[in-house]
Amino acid sequence: MKNKNTALITGASHRIGREMAIFLAQKGYDLVIHYNKSQAQATQLIEELKQLYNIDGATIDGDLSDKSSAQKIADFMCKKYPNWNLLINNSSIFHKSNFLDNLDEEFEKNLNIHLTSPLYLSHFFAKNVISKKIKNAQIINMLDKNIARIDTVNFYYLLSKKFLAEFTKMLALEVAPHIRVNGIAPGYILPEINAEAEYEKKIIPLIPLQRIGNTKNIVQTLEFLIENDFINGQILSIDGGASLNHAG
């Protein structure tokens, strides 16, 4: 079992992270599902996937607003899963914030979750891959199609996602040829929690394809990145064209 492909997905107990976990289990990956507060959902998911697809797997908790959690998670992966060859940095928070009012409340938390912890996890992942000569190693960072625009409604969220996008490209150059690094930048894929129907009615006509996406679109992109071994340093916007006209 330990020579199989093994993936860690942060924030994988629900929404897009959950769908990626299901897909990877179907592909035969052993899985570690990270969560912060959603222990019950994460545990139920990994147990179901182990039974359905005969994979090995575990859950691990950690508040990625504290970089020490990234160290703990990386130590666990390196010790328990010697062939850890896929890291998906998916954990995210999404709060409205503005530069003048939310500095202490939002900046450090967004920065830690969206950049510092992914950087630390990637650092330890890369050292493990290179020292053990692990094959077919990849890092995939989950971004946001709005990195293509200047939008200050969610100031610190978007700023930190922009940092992660630049890190993705720099890291792809730094750790090649041992590891491929790419990003996925979703658009309007799932309705936001507590989103109003009127909001969707307003947004959909602005998207060039005039519809929202679904998690299948993200999973298709994940499969493409996994299977295409000559793609590196790319950020794929899965957004129906919304990043072209800054809509949605």
Side-chain angles (χ1 to χ4, degrees), residues 114-221:
H114 298 145
L115 177 65
T116 305
S117 286
L119 186 151
Y120 271 70
L121 284 170
S122 299
H123 173 86
F124 295 118
F125 174 79
K127 291 187 72 170
N128 189 61
V129 165
I130 292 169
S131 66
K132 294 178 181 176
K133 299 180 179 180
I134 296 171
K135 302 298 182 183
N136 192 32
Q138 298 175 65
I139 298 170
I140 297 174
N141 292 324
M142 298 302 295
L143 299 161
D144 187 306
K145 61 92 178 168
N146 283 333
I147 58 173
R149 71 193 290 191
I150 303 299
D151 181 357
T152 61
V153 174
N154 307 291
F155 191 95
Y156 293 112
Y157 165 81
L158 186 56
L159 179 64
S160 57
K161 286 289 189 177
K162 284 174 175 283
F163 287 161
L164 182 59
E166 291 303 307
F167 172 64
T168 299
K169 291 181 280 188
M170 291 179 69
L171 186 62
L173 186 61
E174 183 72 10
V175 298
H178 309 287
I179 303 167
R180 295 191 293 114
V181 185
N182 295 289
I184 299 175
Y188 200 174
I189 297 297
L190 288 170
E192 297 176 25
I193 297 172
N194 298 323
E196 297 179 3
E198 289 300 317
Y199 177 77
E200 282 196 14
K201 290 180 182 179
K202 178 181 177 181
I203 291 299
I204 289 173
L206 301 177
I207 299 170
L209 291 186
Q210 297 195 0
R211 58 184 173 85
I212 67 172
N214 57 55
T215 54
K216 179 181 178 181
N217 302 130
I218 301 301
V219 167
Q220 289 169 331
T221 309

Side-chain angles (χ1 to χ4, degrees), residues 2 10 36 42 44 48 57 68 92 100 102 112 117-118 126 140 175 191 210 212 231:
K2 295 302 181 185
T10 63
N36 182 16
Q44 181 179 0
E48 289 176 356
S68 65
S92 186
L100 294 179
N102 301 106
N112 284 342
S117 286
I140 297 174
V175 298
Q210 297 195 0
I212 67 172
I231 184 167

Side-chain angles (χ1 to χ4, degrees), residues 7-99:
L8 165 68
I9 310 174
T10 63
S13 61
H14 55 280
R15 294 173 71 84
I16 288 175
R18 174 185 174 86
E19 297 304 315
M20 292 191 294
I22 293 170
F23 168 76
L24 290 173
Q26 292 170 341
K27 297 282 288 185
Y29 276 74
D30 290 339
L31 281 175
V32 175
I33 292 175
H34 158 265
Y35 67 93
N36 182 16
K37 298 178 180 178
S38 304
Q39 180 179 14
Q41 295 94 319
T43 300
Q44 181 179 0
L45 176 60
I46 196 63
E47 291 303 321
E48 289 176 356
L49 295 179
K50 287 162 70 173
Q51 291 179 14
L52 285 171
Y53 303 109
N54 193 31
I55 63 165
D56 189 11
T59 62
I60 187 165
D61 69 308
D63 180 357
L64 292 179
S65 66
D66 180 351
K67 68 183 181 183
S68 65
S69 289
Q71 173 77 71
K72 179 191 79 170
I73 293 164
D75 287 345
F76 173 83
M77 293 300 302
C78 293
K79 291 175 183 177
K80 299 292 186 181
Y81 293 91
N83 200 48
W84 177 28
N85 65 341
L86 176 59
L87 167 62
I88 302 180
N89 287 307
N90 173 69
S91 284
S92 186
I93 57 173
F94 185 73
H95 301 155
K96 287 188 176 182
S97 60
N98 66 70
F99 180 71

